[in-house]
Amino acid sequence: DVVYDTIKLLERVIDKNIEMSVELDSHLPQIRGDANQIEQIAMNLIINARDAMPRGGKITIKTAVVDVRQGMQDVPAYIVQGEYVVFTLADTGMGIPKDIVNRIFEPFFTTKERGKGTGLGLSMVYGAVKEHKGYITVLSEVGAGTLFTIYLPSSRAAVIAPAKESPAALSGHETLLVVDDEEEILTTVQEALTSRGYKVIAISDSLNALNIFRKLPAEIALVITDIAMPQMDGKELIRKIKEIKPEVKIIAMSGHAKYVADKDGIREIDGFLKKPFESPYLLSVVRRILDAKTRTALTI
């Protein structure tokens, strides 16, 4: 129903030279999820496919149920065993070059012309899939189209939970600068990080935070900053911090999409956290970004 509703909603924006083929399994198990988010996933992928076919082509949407078992062909090994509802969307568009296919889920990454895309669509898809405890894969070849496959665990499935990261794996000793004008969030993030051994400088004023960074650039390994703040917003803060220390790692966070719709000034972030988020996920993202040798652009 969600897929059909989404297609009906987008009928007016899909060019007539694009053929839509829909093959849906009528006997799917239920999943635990948010219909609005699933609609956003389908909508973003359909619009992305449309944009990849300016001269026309074909979009094929399928749903099915798959019982993932170890060693299955065409199923990535990292997908936990269990029963999944699988949603696939294929297009016959221009395809994605190999050198950028691994970056398409990064927030604010886009190959579209300025003003024609924010680079948030696929990032939002990735985040929504992860919130549903699912997986998303992409196969693409230049000139031959793209295939997105989404695995969403069924609610009747006894999906084997992946091993939880140990407390030690989430701990650290680095000095972090946390900036947020909301005292409650600032305190929550500070307490979560200090409980795992991090040295945290928590500042509610962005101007003060910039002054502190100017004094301690060598000591600060990571900056976590809100986007919407008075006096100087997070985008400007990130720009100024990068001018001082280009290699510093940065996580941006916001609960309001309107504050991150413009990628200017925050295209070099290493991660984006959508509020609200839980402390274990914060700790996991922080540790992975600090350990990464290159930018990972982790999102939620």
Side-chain angles (χ1 to χ4, degrees), residues 4-285:
Y4 277 127
D5 288 346
T6 305
I7 292 172
K8 187 174 181 180
L9 186 66
L10 294 176
E11 279 179 343
R12 294 183 180 180
V13 299
I14 299 298
D15 297 338
K16 292 182 179 180
N17 60 354
I18 293 178
E19 177 189 352
M20 293 281 291
S21 174
V22 184
E23 304 171 26
L24 306 185
D25 190 326
S26 59
H27 300 288
L28 295 176
Q30 291 186 330
I31 65 169
R32 294 186 184 277
D34 183 309
N36 290 328
Q37 281 194 312
I38 301 298
E39 185 177 89
Q40 286 296 317
I41 289 172
M43 187 178 298
N44 275 297
L45 290 180
I46 292 171
I47 291 175
N48 214 61
R50 178 205 65 182
D51 293 345
M53 299 183 292
R55 296 182 179 83
K58 183 177 181 179
I59 297 174
T60 302
I61 298 173
K62 297 181 181 181
T63 59
V65 58
V66 174
D67 192 11
V68 174
R69 290 288 175 259
Q70 190 171 8
M72 286 183 67
Q73 290 186 344
D74 302 323
V75 176
Y78 57 79
I79 295 181
V80 176
Q81 296 180 52
E83 184 182 71
Y84 292 84
V85 170
V86 176
F87 171 89
T88 62
L89 187 144
D91 67 60
T92 57
M94 59 187 71
I96 306 169
K98 290 182 179 180
D99 60 334
I100 65 171
V101 71
N102 291 328
R103 297 189 60 197
I104 61 172
F105 296 119
E106 294 181 12
F108 314 110
F109 178 78
T110 180
T111 58
K112 298 177 183 178
E113 295 177 21
R114 186 177 180 85
K116 294 189 176 181
T118 64
L120 283 171
L122 290 179
S123 175
M124 289 178 177
V125 168
Y126 180 86
V129 170
K130 288 303 177 183
E131 285 185 24
H132 285 76
K133 312 300 182 186
Y135 303 86
I136 181 168
T137 66
V138 57
L139 294 174
S140 190
E141 185 176 341
V142 174
T146 300
L147 170 66
F148 287 97
T149 304
I150 294 173
Y151 298 80
L152 300 173
S154 80
S155 61
R156 73 185 182 197
V159 177
I160 303 170
K164 294 183 178 179
E165 294 178 87
S166 67
L170 300 179
S171 301
H173 60 275
E174 292 90 346
T175 298
L176 314 181
L177 175 62
V178 181
V179 191
D180 199 308
D181 62 310
E182 295 184 57
E183 291 289 348
E184 184 177 349
I185 294 175
L186 189 66
T187 300
T188 299
V189 173
Q190 181 181 21
E191 290 177 351
L193 293 168
T194 55
S195 70
R196 295 301 185 189
Y198 293 100
K199 302 178 186 69
V200 179
I201 304 171
I203 305 294
S204 60
D205 180 286
S206 54
L207 292 176
N208 190 21
L210 180 60
N211 289 332
I212 289 175
F213 189 84
R214 283 197 178 106
K215 296 176 182 177
L216 302 170
E219 288 84 351
I220 297 172
L222 171 69
V223 177
I224 304 174
T225 180
D226 187 30
I227 296 298
M229 295 185 291
Q231 295 183 312
M232 178 170 61
D233 66 16
K235 297 177 187 178
E236 184 66 17
L237 177 62
I238 291 169
R239 277 196 290 266
K240 291 183 179 298
I241 283 176
K242 282 288 188 179
E243 289 174 1
I244 299 169
K245 185 179 179 181
E247 71 274 17
V248 68
K249 295 184 176 182
I250 294 178
I251 297 174
M253 55 183 177
S254 176
H256 306 282
K258 67 178 181 179
Y259 293 122
V260 297
D262 176 11
K263 69 180 183 299
D264 288 344
I266 43 178
R267 68 182 69 202
E268 297 299 327
I269 62 173
D270 297 88
F272 176 75
L273 290 169
K274 182 180 179 297
K275 298 177 182 177
F277 48 82
E278 297 181 354
S279 294
Y281 190 83
L282 164 70
L283 292 165
S284 178
V285 169

